[in-house]
Amino acid sequence: MVTKEYFDDLQKKMANRSVEALVEEFNQQVGNTGWTSIRGLHDSVLIDTLIATGVDVSAVYDGVTISFKRKITLNGDKTRVIFA
């Protein structure tokens, strides 16, 4: 069971990571078809953290679904994720 404490801790950890580290973490999930509630929470916090830093994640997130089909990188000014 996911607790509020776990959620808060995960948010804090992600907020302290660089955008590049968040992109690397995203890429570690590419191709992983297994799903659990913990992974879903992780992925949601990851995307929310990227958005909070001002990064456009529309290449992989439509507001509902996150696609882990392809690896991503940042565009030149680090404001948008693009396919690697």
Side-chain angles (χ1 to χ4, degrees):
M1 181 172 167
V2 177
T3 64
K4 173 132 175 59
E5 182 178 305
Y6 178 82
F7 175 76
D8 292 342
D9 184 53
L10 184 59
Q11 281 187 313
K12 286 178 190 174
K13 286 180 181 177
M14 293 242 187
N16 290 323
R17 294 191 179 132
S18 68
V19 173
E20 294 84 1
L22 295 170
V23 167
E24 184 177 321
E25 193 159 338
F26 179 96
N27 287 336
Q28 290 173 358
Q29 298 296 322
V30 171
N32 183 353
T33 58
W35 194 89
T36 65
S37 59
I38 295 294
R39 178 173 180 217
L41 176 66
H42 170 273
D43 297 345
S44 177
V45 171
L46 176 61
I47 288 296
D48 288 346
T49 304
L50 282 165
I51 292 168
T53 63
V55 175
D56 175 357
V57 295
S58 60
V60 294
Y61 179 61
D62 64 7
V64 177
T65 305
I66 306 168
S67 173
F68 290 96
K69 291 181 180 180
R70 296 173 61 186
K71 291 189 177 194
I72 60 171
T73 191
L74 294 166
N75 67 337
D77 60 0
K78 299 182 182 182
T79 59
R80 184 169 32 101
V81 296
I82 56 175
F83 294 116

